[in-house]
Amino acid sequence: MKFLLTAVNAKYIHSNLGIYSLKAYAHAFISQKAEEEPQHSEAYKRIRIELAEYTINQQPDEILQDIYRQKPQVIGFSCYIWNIWHIRQILREIPKILPGTDIWLGGPEAFCNARRLLEEEPSVTGIMAGEGEGILADLAVYYGTNEIIPEEGLKDGYLRQIPGILFRDRQGQMVKTGDRPLLDLDTIPFPYTDLDGMEHRILYYESSRGCPYRCSYCLSSIDRTVRFRSLELVKRELDFFLNHKVPQVKFVDRTFNCKRSHALAVWKYLLEHDNGITNFHFEIAGDGIGQEELAVFGKMRKGLIQLETGVQSTNPQTIEEIRREMDLHRLGKAVAAINSCQNIHQHLDLIAGLPFEGLESFKKSFDDVYAMRPEQLQLGFLKVLSGSYMAEMAGEYGILYHETPPYEVLSTKWLTYEEILQLKAVEEMTEVYYNSRQFTQTLKEMEKHWESSYAMFEEMAWYYETRKLFGIRHNRLARYEILYDFLRQQGGDMEQYRDLLVCDLYLRENLKSRPSFARDLTPWKERIRLFFREEEKQPRYLKGYEGYDARQMGSMAHVEVMGDGSMILFDYKNRDALTYNAKAVKIDDQSSGRLCGG
């Protein structure tokens, strides 16, 4: 019997921790059952649980074909707001090509809409409406040992004994079983054993489950029970990632530092066992960071960890209304202290469409968070999730939102649809010009000439809108050309902006194509060639390039001439571990001081 656990991820680089965890737990459970019931051991040995991962960028028919070739007897889909539309297209076709195959749905988008999904999707056998690992294990045993159930009519009875499911019985009636007891997290086996094919993907890991907070827009607020994996087990499992030199591991803990001793122990362990490669991502409550954490952070390698904090809003009335707990003053101090270490990426998140947050209030929230100087300012839009308190209050708040996933806000009592569209345009400008980290030097200068950061991005968005530049896939060089023209329209110091834009461009990449606004380097070509010949004979700036001749050095590094005639060397073999920018040095400066933020 083959049970195929299927995930449709947002991107190829992502992996689905849920199905890996379900498989690991079920295998351990089935092995235990085989030992306890030797008379049925052969039936248990025939149970096969396999995984299939796809992306929403694949055509549904491509996914359908692959599922068909695997010939599963049972299929389980992991359902989220970003993939449910794709999954529903696929599952409607499965009975036509794999008649008799049972289909089970799990994940937040399934259990929060369980009854409606069963009503609308006749091909679905049932919904896993509780914690998935135990349910999947019970279902696998049920299907794998069907031949030892004495009478066909008793099979529904066996399903009724599995807590945490909603299923359609043989008469077509919906049956909801009892609540599922929560698992001890230490009983769930480590989900990763073989990393073949995972070399270029992000791996996800959880050291705790649940959240102590009750934010009204989040499904985690429904159950505030928090369970932790024991620290000794967590440390052994971190060793797996470190020993395999996994590029990035993202902790899915809802608020990683909600138990301070747990978070500190993990961060100290990573500091002590850093392999020089792996990056670990944590979602935290930034206002919960204290001096002890900062002392640990200050000793870390650049890029060892990155931190994400959901600020959501800086409007006190909004924060209170969404039941969020946050000390904005403490958060600002913590973010500034972490920034001063210059070794940790910080992501700060805002949500547009929250109660009591009109456009002017959101502009202030944006400016407040921008002033904290995170590496990324992520501007999201409220998703009104079924089962959340926000969904219950949608009428009271005048929230109108999409009826289909991801249930994103269209307007509220405080924010019109027109204003939502304005925020969408600002979001895109922020993503392109701030979060990309490709325009850092230029933006620093631009900020001096606008009354606020929001106003700056708003005007950039207006420029894009009036010139119909939205909706076009601009390449990187085009983004620089557009920004240069935007600044030219503003009437700024274009020689200064020319230098800053060229500096930003070459900090990140040694492009062979040059933007139209870049200076013609022809008058300096001989001087640049001479520089590389001298470096070949006696390296002064390009340490680590020994063995390369002048021509090779010239292709591996770049020299740019600024408006004052000075020459800047961009060294791509020596990049900043945090920003990935090239080391930038003024050639004429005997002290080899860094320039351009390199």
Side-chain angles (χ1 to χ4, degrees), residues 349-368:
D349 304 339
L350 287 172
I351 296 178
L354 294 173
F356 297 104
E357 183 101 276
L359 183 59
E360 293 307 312
S361 172
F362 188 85
K363 288 179 180 181
K364 183 179 184 306
S365 290
F366 185 98
D367 290 337
D368 288 343

Side-chain angles (χ1 to χ4, degrees), residues 251-266:
F251 277 64
V252 299
D253 303 43
R254 297 307 302 160
T255 306
F256 178 71
N257 62 330
C258 65
K259 183 178 179 182
R260 196 169 172 219
S261 59
H262 177 87
L264 264 170
V266 170

Side-chain angles (χ1 to χ4, degrees), residues 360 363-364 366-368 370-371 446-460:
E360 293 307 312
K363 288 179 180 181
K364 183 179 184 306
F366 185 98
D367 290 337
D368 288 343
Y370 190 90
M446 289 173 62
E447 290 161 13
K448 301 173 185 176
H449 305 284
W450 269 268
E451 62 182 19
S452 72
S453 54
Y454 184 91
M456 179 177 72
F457 289 105
E458 182 181 39
E459 195 154 349
M460 291 165 69

Side-chain angles (χ1 to χ4, degrees), residues 354-465:
L354 294 173
F356 297 104
E357 183 101 276
L359 183 59
E360 293 307 312
S361 172
F362 188 85
K363 288 179 180 181
K364 183 179 184 306
S365 290
F366 185 98
D367 290 337
D368 288 343
V369 173
Y370 190 90
M372 295 182 192
R373 300 290 175 187
E375 275 67 35
Q376 291 213 348
L377 195 172
Q378 298 177 344
L379 199 172
F381 292 82
L382 177 66
K383 312 294 189 296
V384 184
L385 304 177
S386 178
S388 68
Y389 182 71
M390 187 66 71
E392 292 180 29
M393 295 295 292
E396 178 73 19
Y397 298 147
I399 297 177
L400 299 178
Y401 58 96
H402 285 278
E403 294 297 317
T404 55
Y407 314 112
E408 193 169 275
V409 64
L410 293 168
S411 64
T412 73
K413 190 185 293 185
W414 302 273
L415 203 60
T416 68
Y417 182 58
E418 181 68 31
E419 290 168 335
I420 289 281
L421 294 181
Q422 177 183 323
L423 292 177
K424 291 264 185 191
V426 169
E427 176 206 18
E428 184 167 338
M429 293 296 93
T430 305
E431 193 66 29
V432 169
Y433 289 106
Y434 184 80
N435 290 344
S436 70
R437 312 306 293 168
Q438 295 176 7
F439 302 86
T440 55
Q441 307 306 304
T442 309
L443 285 179
K444 283 178 186 175
E445 178 60 29
M446 289 173 62
E447 290 161 13
K448 301 173 185 176
H449 305 284
W450 269 268
E451 62 182 19
S452 72
S453 54
Y454 184 91
M456 179 177 72
F457 289 105
E458 182 181 39
E459 195 154 349
M460 291 165 69
W462 176 248
Y463 177 85
Y464 264 69
E465 183 69 38

Side-chain angles (χ1 to χ4, degrees), residues 535-567:
E535 285 297 301
E536 179 186 354
K537 295 174 185 175
Q538 186 173 352
R540 179 180 164 200
Y541 298 96
L542 293 174
K543 305 293 185 182
Y545 287 73
E546 292 79 3
Y548 295 102
D549 62 28
R551 182 182 293 275
Q552 290 170 319
M553 288 182 181
S555 64
M556 295 168 66
H558 177 74
V559 172
E560 188 65 38
V561 180
M562 298 290 106
D564 61 0
S566 63
M567 296 170 64

Side-chain angles (χ1 to χ4, degrees), residues 37-67:
E37 303 172 18
Q39 69 275 25
H40 304 311
S41 61
E42 288 304 313
Y44 289 126
K45 288 177 183 177
R46 287 195 290 271
I47 300 173
R48 291 162 53 209
I49 299 171
E50 298 185 6
L51 306 181
E53 289 189 90
Y54 310 99
T55 78
I56 59 175
N57 298 313
Q58 292 178 260
Q59 291 296 319
D61 199 49
E62 180 185 348
I63 298 173
L64 190 68
Q65 290 173 28
D66 190 70
I67 291 173

